[in-house]
Amino acid sequence: VDGNIQHDMEKLANTYPGFRQRYRLIKRIGEGTFSTVYKAEDLQYDRYDNSWDLDKDNEKWSPPPLKTYSAQSSMAFDATQSMEQVRRRKPKFVAIKKIYVTSSPTRILNELELLHDLRNCPSVCPLVTAFRSTDQVVAILPYFRHMDFRQYFRKMTPPDMAIYLRSLFTALSFVHARHILHRDIKPTNFLYDPDTQRGVLVDFGLAEREGVESKPCTCHDDPVARKTKLRAALHASLAPHNGYPKQDTRPSRRANRAGTRGFRAPEVLFKCTEQTTKIDIWSVGVILLTILSRRFPFFNSADDVEAMIEIATIFGQKRMRHAGQLHGCMFETTIPTVGSQGFSLERIILWSTCRSDTGEVLSDNEKQAVEFLNRCMELDPSRRISADEALQHPFLQMGLD
Ligand code: ADP
Ligand code: MG
């Protein structure tokens, strides 16, 4: 373990009285924009009898231990245990998420609250407990064994993809049923173990409740009402001028753009003010496109405008213009690589897997995957497949009897 990490681990262990008696920090396993995550051994595992484990049918997390952390209660050994019992004890690991002190208290509370709401979902990593010392908050989660996405995605066959996505959509179906948007679906936030073929969703740091910060957007109107509004807005902004309005009196649009570049849905890029759980489905589509094309990251834009160009290159100007209009946006570009019609996802996948020159075609299973991918990457969120519908789709039923 390198010196800096060792130093940070020492510091963390000193922040909370009794920490060392309760946890043994092993290594750093993640460092993100908002937190550092460590793997640790829970030295008191035996003392709260298997709590956060899944039940025997893998269906439910058993209730989390509602044991309050205190310095007095932390003893490394239970005096009633024989040395043999102590030795045979299977080490139980936890992930300790140290949330950066620069995160706002509301944000931290939001993440912990949502995790609490989702505690009964077997495919959402539950919160064991959390504690705070002045401005430092740590969340304790059961450690979930997983493999780095980049190590296995190129080897996935269509049945592997179906199993992976079934696990991810099961989590999303649960989250969306509670009207929660995850907002940051991407491989590093879905911990998957190819051996057991199980995955858990983590990182609700950007998640939000549907509708809480929404303002009506024309994408929720019927097409006729939308057209009328769009025309009225155009007239109002262009009337006294010729071309781009010099004094734009329209209120500036504020929309939540949180998420990771490359995974943002078109409606997020178009600053839709009434975003729904469908934004997560688009991001899953990007994951599937990554797997099918064997390219990671698939989209690699520096900003939202570049991201729109990347999407427009695939879908074409015509469909992109229509997608923008849904949210009251005009989409125009003179970039020559952005054609009017775009390309089919099948073509894109054949290109990126170097099969277009050889005249090879997609296998039947791949075709089914692409058909499903088209449903996830619908530019219009209201037409995009939902998590529940996805679970019923023939592609995700692959291999099930
Ligand atoms: P951030 O907000 O910093 O992205 P995450 O919650 O996504 O934090 O965690 C960052 C990384 O830490 C994950 O990508 C994963 O590698 C690791 N990690 C997080 N939670 C767990 C867990 N419960 N078990 C194992 N590893 C985890
Ligand atoms: Mg993360």
Side-chain angles (χ1 to χ4, degrees):
V1 184
D2 101 25
N4 278 335
I5 299 175
Q6 192 64 50
H7 176 257
D8 286 348
M9 288 186 355
E10 289 292 321
K11 215 171 120 192
L12 176 62
N14 289 335
T15 306
Y16 303 92
F19 187 99
R20 287 172 197 285
Q21 281 75 46
R22 180 127 176 212
Y23 302 108
R24 183 176 65 83
L25 286 168
I26 298 167
K27 59 174 180 181
R28 189 176 75 185
I29 46 178
E31 194 179 34
T33 332
F34 307 108
S35 74
T36 303
V37 180
Y38 299 95
K39 182 179 183 178
E41 182 183 355
D42 186 339
L43 301 169
Q44 290 195 331
Y45 176 74
D46 282 344
R47 311 187 94 226
Y48 44 75
D49 45 43
N50 291 2
S51 309
W52 39 256
D53 256 355
L54 279 178
D55 68 8
K56 54 183 184 336
D57 303 320
N58 260 359
E59 268 173 4
K60 247 187 115 171
W61 294 99
S62 336
L66 293 173
K67 200 167 161 185
T68 331
Y69 177 75
S70 79
Q72 285 89 338
S73 72
S74 38
M75 289 197 308
F77 302 108
D78 184 332
T80 61
Q81 280 187 331
S82 68
M83 268 325 280
E84 184 54 24
Q85 278 174 309
V86 171
R87 239 193 321 270
R88 275 217 310 258
R89 186 176 62 183
K90 231 172 52 192
K92 279 292 161 178
F93 298 110
V94 287
I96 300 188
K97 178 165 174 167
K98 187 180 92 171
I99 301 171
Y100 294 150
V101 294
T102 44
S103 297
S104 80
T106 18
R107 218 197 100 112
I108 299 172
L109 181 65
N110 179 61
E111 177 171 3
L112 299 180
E113 252 175 18
L114 293 177
L115 277 178
H116 183 71
D117 284 8
L118 297 165
R119 66 193 174 282
N120 287 322
C121 174
S123 40
V124 171
C125 192
L127 184 66
V128 176
T129 184
F131 32 93
R132 177 181 72 84
S133 166
T134 65
D135 55 354
Q136 180 63 73
V137 175
V138 297
I140 311 287
L141 310 150
Y143 178 81
F144 191 87
R145 197 173 76 117
H146 62 285
M147 200 189 269
D148 187 328
F149 179 74
R150 285 166 298 188
Q151 288 187 342
Y152 60 80
F153 83 96
R154 284 191 183 83
K155 298 181 208 133
M156 287 171 102
T157 63
D160 293 334
M161 299 173 206
I163 296 167
Y164 175 94
L165 292 177
R166 218 146 57 210
S167 177
L168 179 48
F169 275 113
T170 303
L172 281 182
S173 155
F174 192 96
V175 173
H176 292 173
R178 272 148 196 78
H179 305 287
I180 295 170
L181 289 68
H182 183 281
R183 287 208 80 90
D184 202 15
I185 298 296
K186 57 178 173 179
T188 48
N189 287 338
F190 180 61
L191 312 182
Y192 188 71
D193 181 352
D195 291 334
T196 59
Q197 300 187 314
R198 279 202 56 232
V200 289
L201 196 54
V202 296
D203 198 356
F204 285 74
L206 298 176
E208 60 171 353
R209 287 180 209 279
E210 199 172 41
V212 166
E213 276 175 53
S214 285
K215 269 195 247 145
C217 174
T218 47
C219 66
H220 288 252
D221 290 339
D222 66 83
V224 179
R226 181 161 54 238
K227 217 167 182 174
T228 314
K229 279 189 199 171
L230 190 67
R231 207 165 280 155
L234 254 179
H235 278 287
S237 64
L238 294 178
H241 317 282
N242 209 353
Y244 194 81
K246 288 186 186 67
Q247 281 163 317
D248 194 336
T249 51
R250 291 169 298 173
S252 73
R253 278 155 65 98
R254 281 188 168 274
N256 192 343
R257 292 178 45 261
T260 300
R261 64 199 182 92
F263 291 90
R264 287 194 188 102
E267 63 269 29
V268 178
L269 301 174
F270 284 124
K271 298 204 178 83
C272 170
T273 52
E274 205 174 355
Q275 297 170 22
T276 67
T277 51
K278 296 288 184 69
I279 67 167
D280 293 337
I281 308 290
W282 174 275
S283 310
V284 180
V286 176
I287 299 180
L288 179 56
L289 179 57
T290 306
I291 300 172
L292 286 166
S293 68
R294 314 251 186 255
R295 302 215 176 208
F296 182 76
F298 187 88
F299 293 116
N300 200 13
S301 51
D303 57 48
D304 281 359
V305 174
E306 258 184 45
M308 279 189 214
I309 301 296
E310 287 181 327
I311 295 176
T313 308
I314 297 180
F315 292 89
Q317 289 207 33
K318 216 173 134 205
R319 286 206 278 165
M320 202 60 177
R321 203 174 302 134
H322 181 76
Q325 280 170 5
L326 291 174
H327 316 284
C329 288
M330 304 290 280
F331 180 85
E332 291 295 340
T333 175
T334 51
I335 295 176
T337 49
V338 182
S340 136
Q341 302 298 323
F343 307 95
S344 70
L345 288 168
E346 175 160 359
R347 278 285 288 283
I348 300 285
I349 290 160
L350 284 170
W351 266 325
S352 33
T353 50
C354 309
R355 284 183 281 180
S356 26
D357 293 340
T358 58
E360 258 182 278
V361 290
L362 297 181
S363 70
D364 286 350
N365 280 348
E366 277 180 308
K367 280 192 181 135
Q368 200 175 42
V370 172
E371 201 262 316
F372 178 71
L373 177 61
N374 275 308
R375 297 290 291 114
C376 296
M377 296 189 91
E378 282 272 3
L379 293 173
D380 178 349
S382 70
R383 295 177 55 182
R384 199 175 300 148
I385 200 167
S386 70
D388 285 335
E389 287 162 351
L391 288 168
Q392 299 307 317
H393 190 280
F395 176 58
L396 289 207
Q397 298 283 316
M398 188 183 280
L400 292 182
D401 293 310

